[in-house]
Amino acid sequence: MKPATLAFIALFLLTAAAVQAIPDLPVKFDSASIEVEGQVYPVEYAQTYEQRARGLMYRKSLCEDCGMLFRFSTPKRASMWMKNTFIPLDVAFIDRNGVITDIKALEPHNLESVGASKEVIYALEMNQGWFARQNIKVGDQIIVNP
């Protein structure tokens, strides 16, 4: 491998580690809204690598209808983990048509990856039990307004 390629890879890995490891390193999130069953909810929007890497890490609480929408650069069988995350969450994986393919529980600090069963373009993290309380289930349609 060329030295320039190795240097780029090393810089990339160091940046990623810094974003995850330093809670005081500010990461600004964009805003979006989602619409499900006629209800509109504002969410934080993680669409860059740095935003996705930080996610909801280090937060101690999340308001009742608050959440974070992750947009992946290309459709993939995405997975999430809960490193440095204190809040129990549910994640809905959403395909390119806006259809929920999976809803899975995420436990605080669990380092096991929880993955989508199909290729998706979005993942929506909300407080644990939120999807059930809203009667939102696999197969439902979500409209994303970035």
Side-chain angles (χ1 to χ4, degrees):
M1 210 176 277
K2 294 181 181 181
T5 303
L6 287 173
F8 175 78
I9 291 170
L11 180 61
F12 178 79
L13 292 174
L14 286 172
T15 301
V19 167
Q20 292 183 21
I22 305 171
D24 294 333
L25 187 65
V27 175
K28 182 170 174 20
F29 292 95
D30 300 313
S31 297
S33 66
I34 57 163
E35 184 177 337
V36 189
E37 301 292 321
Q39 293 282 52
V40 176
Y41 303 94
V43 292
E44 291 180 89
Y45 191 38
Q47 58 183 335
T48 68
Y49 176 80
E50 290 78 16
Q51 291 168 333
R52 288 189 305 268
R54 175 60 63 88
L56 292 170
M57 286 182 173
Y58 306 109
R59 302 204 191 172
K60 303 290 183 175
S61 64
L62 191 62
C63 79
E64 185 176 332
D65 288 325
C66 295
M68 184 170 288
L69 180 68
F70 295 79
R71 185 183 193 290
F72 305 110
S73 51
T74 59
K76 64 180 184 174
R77 287 186 69 165
S79 61
M80 312 293 274
W81 69 342
M82 294 287 283
K83 182 176 183 178
N84 299 319
T85 307
F86 296 87
I87 308 162
L89 302 169
D90 283 341
V91 60
F93 291 104
I94 305 162
D95 71 14
R96 66 175 55 183
N97 298 314
V99 176
I100 298 174
T101 63
D102 308 88
I103 298 174
K104 298 187 175 180
L106 301 171
E107 297 301 327
H109 306 291
N110 188 343
L111 300 182
E112 287 183 40
S113 290
V114 174
S117 62
K118 301 175 183 173
E119 282 194 347
V120 296
I121 194 74
Y122 295 107
L124 176 62
E125 288 183 341
M126 302 295 282
N127 283 306
Q128 202 165 78
W130 185 87
F131 293 101
R133 285 190 300 278
Q134 305 304 321
N135 198 29
I136 298 169
K137 52 201 166 312
V138 170
D140 285 353
Q141 181 90 32
I142 289 186
I143 299 168
V144 175
N145 299 304

